[in-house]
């Protein structure tokens, strides 16, 4: 029941859209950004482990991941010269309007002329102003390694969303530990282009000739986030 809205003190000052064009600094955007929490319950009446709900929320890996995506990821991609290789993700970041925690995406698929409606759940769904899913993420908040089954589950769900919605730009698997070799191999197989592929996009899952999404693996330790796949 929690959404995190991406807002600015002034849209006339530094924004992610202006940063996308390379015209402003990270510090200026961060100073102008603000994350606003909205809950479907009275957060002031809730405490978790002796903390207020807001204090609890801001210490969760979900909230910290959203903060990293909004405040840092675009600049890491831009400043390392990977804007073209991660073009689909890079172009989506300025469009993020809100993050839905424990979110659900409605999926409509057509097979053999039959329309099927289902839902895919993710730990975090980042959406644009119209509610379209831009980025989805599952999180391994454990000391145990992220497994092959976690990777397979994310890829399967993301592919269904991507086939139903052209807006999907990236799927993230985030772990507070590390990735099992089998999980890395599964990700590699999903993003491997054909022998004749000339696609220069990094870690990209092709859904069709013109559509697809980036698959990114993120390590989160001590409130720091590191993009492990693809390497920047």
């Amino acid at each position: 029941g929690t959404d995190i809205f991406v807002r600015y003190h002034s849209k006339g000052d530094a924004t992610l859209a202006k940063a996308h064009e390379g015209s402003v600094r990270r510090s200026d955007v961060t100073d102008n950004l603000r994350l606003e929490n909205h809950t479907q319950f009275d957060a002031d009446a809730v405490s978790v482990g002796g903390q207020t709900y807001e204090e609890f929320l801001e210490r969760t890996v979900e909230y910290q991941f959203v903060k990293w995506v909004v405040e840092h990821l675009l600049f890491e991609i831009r400043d390392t010269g990977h804007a073209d290789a991660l073009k689909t993700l890079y172009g989506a970041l300025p469009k993020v309007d809100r993050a839905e925690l424990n979110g659900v995406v409605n999926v409509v698929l057509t097979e053999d002329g039959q329309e099927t409606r289902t839902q895919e759940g993710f730990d975090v769904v980042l959406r644009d102003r119209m509610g379209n899913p831009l980025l989805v993420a599952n999180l391994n908040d454990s000391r145990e390694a992220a497994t092959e089954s976690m990777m397979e589950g994310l890829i399967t769900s993301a592919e269904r969303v991507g086939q139903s919605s052209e807006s999907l730009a990236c799927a993230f698997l985030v772990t507070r530990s590390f990735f099992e070799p089998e999980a890395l191999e599964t990700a590699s197989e999903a993003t491997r282009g054909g022998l004749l592929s000339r696609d220069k996009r990094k870690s990209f899952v092709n859904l069709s000739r013109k559509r697809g999404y980036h698959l990114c693996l993120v390590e989160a330790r001590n409130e720091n986030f590191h993009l492990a796949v693809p390497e920047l």
Side-chain angles (χ1 to χ4, degrees), residues 49-69:
Q51 297 176 302
T52 66
Y53 181 73
E54 184 172 358
E55 290 172 335
F56 162 77
L57 175 65
E58 293 182 0
R59 292 179 64 87
T60 64
V61 67
E62 290 88 348
Y63 182 93
Q64 293 165 8
F65 169 73
V66 171
K67 186 176 176 69
W68 173 73
V69 166

Side-chain angles (χ1 to χ4, degrees), residues 191-204:
T191 57
R192 187 176 295 135
L195 294 175
L196 302 179
S197 174
R198 296 182 179 179
D199 197 336
K200 296 182 179 179
R201 289 171 291 191
K202 283 182 173 285
S203 196
F204 195 76

Side-chain angles (χ1 to χ4, degrees), residues 52-201:
T52 66
Y53 181 73
E54 184 172 358
E55 290 172 335
F56 162 77
L57 175 65
E58 293 182 0
R59 292 179 64 87
T60 64
V61 67
E62 290 88 348
Y63 182 93
Q64 293 165 8
F65 169 73
V66 171
K67 186 176 176 69
W68 173 73
V69 166
V70 173
E71 295 186 357
H72 299 282
L73 184 55
L74 182 145
F75 298 98
E76 291 188 20
I77 294 172
R78 186 189 75 177
D79 297 346
T80 56
H82 288 84
D84 288 338
L86 292 169
K87 183 177 181 179
T88 304
L89 168 58
Y90 188 67
L93 290 170
K95 302 176 185 177
V96 173
D97 180 73
R98 65 183 174 92
E100 179 185 350
L101 304 189
N102 195 23
V104 173
V105 179
N106 294 321
V107 173
V108 180
L109 299 176
T110 302
E111 295 181 0
D112 299 326
Q114 296 292 320
E115 186 176 272
T116 303
R117 294 178 179 269
T118 61
Q119 292 183 325
E120 297 294 335
F122 301 91
D123 293 325
V124 181
V125 179
L126 294 103
R127 303 179 184 271
D128 64 15
R129 289 188 64 187
M130 299 303 294
N132 299 309
L134 298 172
L135 318 171
V136 296
N138 282 341
L139 303 136
N140 174 38
D141 190 9
S142 166
R143 294 180 181 272
E144 300 298 323
T147 64
E148 180 182 15
S149 63
M150 292 178 184
M151 190 72 69
E152 289 174 342
L154 172 66
I155 292 170
T156 298
S157 294
E159 286 187 353
R160 289 173 180 162
V161 172
Q163 289 165 355
S164 177
S165 176
E166 295 185 6
S167 63
L168 183 67
C170 187
F172 296 88
L173 185 59
V174 185
T175 182
R176 277 192 164 174
S177 54
F178 58 95
F179 295 94
E180 286 185 346
E182 294 82 3
L184 295 173
E185 180 61 29
T186 298
S188 178
E189 290 175 359
T191 57
R192 187 176 295 135
L195 294 175
L196 302 179
S197 174
R198 296 182 179 179
D199 197 336
K200 296 182 179 179
R201 289 171 291 191

